Amino acid sequence: MKVAPTRRDFLRYAATAAGLGCAPALAASSLEPLRYVDVTRPSGLRFVHYTGAFGKCYLPETMGSGCAFIDYNNDGLPDIFLVQSMHFPGRPGPRVTSRLYRNNGNGAFTDVSARSGLDVEMYGLGAAVGDYDNDGWDDVYVTGLGESKLFHNNHDGTFTDVTRRAGVNNTGFGTSAAWFDYDRDGLLDLFVCNYVKWSEKTDIFCSLDGRHKTYCTPEAYPGETCRLFHNLGQGRFEDVTGKAGIYDPTGKNLGVAIIDYNGDGWPDIAVSNDTQPSKLYRNNRNGTFTEVGVQAGIAFSEDGIARGAMGIDAADFDDSGRFSLLEGNFSNQMLGLYHNEGSGDFIDIAPSTTVGRTSLLSLSFGLFFFDYDLDGLQDFFVANGHISPDIHAVQPQVTYRELPLVYHNNGHDRFHSVGRELGFTQKLVGRGAAYADTGNRGRQDILLTTNGGPAHLYENAGDSGNHSLRIRTVGTNSNRDGIGALIRVHTPSGMSEQTVHSGSSYCSQSELTLTFGMAREDQADHVEISWPSGHQDVLKSLRAGFTYTVQEGGRILSTKPFRS
């Protein structure tokens, strides 16, 4: 059935055409084509991931590490945390640690790792940001091989390792993690993914020719269960993995997205699994979850195969009022774009769209929904890179280094690959990926990590002529960060919604402040905020061009104009 274009469709077409340099008379001559510019060097980021590889082809060497945006000093600017791995025990290697870079507010960052207390040697993989004790300062949980650590923010630019005291030690192969309030008691709980049971002692010899060792697939190793830690208050947690219904030792878990897929106001959990069925844990509203991945249609590909799934994210990409899922998969498996049908079921629409065809050869790790051109629809970014340096010799059509992908949302479930046009022309071994507005300009920049290589920061440059507003939430009865708050922005041309969330992507954390593209509209008629506590606020006539800090109860604590 042909759908008649709406006013919003028209506005988006004009804005998108202008951004890509193909607009008719509607495009203003002063607008610059949208593009992403690699500003890593001028920004001062000097981070190189260290795998610890020494010729043994150990599985963890291929997994890279993630990244996070965290406003650790509460100055309103997102700072950068980059997770580092290390040499294997008993093996020689340099002392390398995770790095914290302070945002100076002028496009540059300063390495403040040495003083921060975050420069700890560990085989790190992922990070999740959240204010677990509601003191107004964001803390960070770092996952890793054999150990994970919770760092409490001391309010003075330093962090303290409180893992043992808090009771959140994870001794598995920790990957992605997410903070969320699953029982809606106002305290952030913690979900941690674990990959497989691996150690140097249990390492398996895998080979393609019977003589030379290669990296094993995860199928060679037993799985691990995810962990759920319930926040008891007073800085203490309880491991409730078993009694909450999360325990599953068959999982090979790499990504987690918190999603209220059935719209009942309670957060559910989607977990991407590598060579095992992906999981969807439905929140039973009584402290327990029921796994419904198969019934919901996200466990397998459309041909019934458990794919090699890495990163995962959730968004309402079609403004339907329902949150769908995006999942990154192994090469020759294409992305999974699971559309929420509204009846508790999902349908993977990637095979029937250009998303499937253009992502088929990519091995996708970090990914996320975002609105790069501010037209009001959620686009998405994908970081790609293979695990085998010599894969081209075995599969000539597949490469080790791969291009990042960006898909523009054209509406009506149609997406168009625009990565090259936006400037992503360098092949990388991509792993973690996150977004933030690093300069309070009303548009989102991208941070990307590579396996055994440098991190990259890409600035959203150019000007589509579209408008936006940004909202930072401060909970009172809800958790202080407002994680889990559902925000709907209504303009004359339509409605868009997002949820304040931790986790998603792969081993990475995007900023908690939300950016809403508004196309050509310069004001929101009203903004609805549904808080995790159940309280609802309605804010009227919010102008574009500002970052609003909103406290639960409807009070606007600050209104900060964008930088030009």
Side-chain angles (χ1 to χ4, degrees), residues 144-321:
L145 178 64
E147 62 177 342
S148 297
K149 294 182 180 293
L150 175 60
F151 293 95
H152 178 262
N153 191 326
N154 298 323
H155 315 173
D156 60 0
T158 69
F159 291 79
T160 298
D161 181 352
V162 296
T163 311
R164 186 176 298 276
R165 183 196 322 162
V168 290
N169 191 34
N170 181 70
T171 58
F173 193 150
T175 52
S176 296
W179 295 98
F180 72 132
D181 185 2
Y182 76 87
D183 56 353
R184 294 173 45 176
D185 65 353
L187 298 170
L188 287 177
D189 310 300
L190 178 64
F191 188 93
V192 184
C193 292
N194 284 300
Y195 191 30
V196 296
K197 292 183 183 296
W198 180 93
S199 69
E200 286 192 85
K201 291 182 179 179
T202 61
D203 183 67
I204 296 173
F205 181 89
C206 295
S207 176
L208 294 177
D209 59 11
R211 293 181 298 123
H212 300 95
K213 191 174 190 296
T214 58
Y215 291 110
C216 296
T217 71
E219 294 167 299
Y221 297 98
E224 280 263 36
T225 186
C226 296
R227 295 286 174 188
L228 177 61
F229 296 96
H230 178 238
N231 193 333
L232 303 174
Q234 305 301 315
R236 295 287 302 168
F237 292 78
E238 176 190 6
D239 188 337
V240 295
T241 305
K243 67 182 182 182
I246 300 298
Y247 183 77
D248 180 2
T250 69
K252 298 177 181 180
N253 315 280
L254 288 179
V256 56
I258 307 303
I259 173 177
D260 180 9
Y261 80 97
N262 54 7
D264 66 355
W266 292 76
D268 312 299
I269 310 166
V271 179
S272 51
N273 266 264
D274 190 358
T275 70
Q276 288 291 311
S278 290
K279 309 293 185 182
L280 180 61
Y281 294 95
R282 186 187 65 221
N283 194 324
N284 297 326
R285 313 185 204 178
N286 61 2
T288 69
F289 293 81
T290 299
E291 204 287 300
V292 295
V294 174
Q295 300 95 303
I298 74 161
F300 305 101
S301 64
E302 65 172 359
D303 53 357
I305 301 299
R307 294 187 281 196
M310 315 299 175
I312 191 170
D313 195 16
D316 177 9
F317 67 75
D318 59 351
D319 291 347
S320 63

Side-chain angles (χ1 to χ4, degrees), residues 10 25 40 115 203 210 255 271 316 333 353:
F10 176 75
T40 309
R115 180 178 179 272
D203 183 67
V271 179
D316 177 9
Q333 292 183 340
T353 68

Side-chain angles (χ1 to χ4, degrees), residues 4-28 31 34 371-377 379 408-412 414 416 418 463-466 493 518-521:
T6 64
R7 179 179 178 220
R8 188 169 189 173
D9 291 329
F10 176 75
L11 287 171
R12 283 175 181 145
Y13 167 75
T16 302
L20 296 179
C22 57
L26 283 170
L31 300 184
L34 284 177
D371 183 5
Y372 76 85
D373 61 348
L374 307 177
D375 67 353
L377 280 177
D379 314 301
H408 180 261
N409 190 337
N410 298 331
H412 305 299
R414 296 192 300 269
H416 178 58
V418 295
D463 184 2
S464 67
N466 289 335
S493 54
M518 300 168 64
R520 292 297 199 265
E521 306 290 357

Side-chain angles (χ1 to χ4, degrees), residues 8 59 143 157-158 182 197 204 245 264 299 371 396 402 416 436 452 479 489 527 530 540 562:
R8 188 169 189 173
L59 178 63
T143 64
T158 69
Y182 76 87
K197 292 183 183 296
I204 296 173
D264 66 355
D371 183 5
E402 300 176 347
H416 178 58
N479 67 85
V489 174
V527 174
S530 298
K540 296 184 177 180
F562 294 164

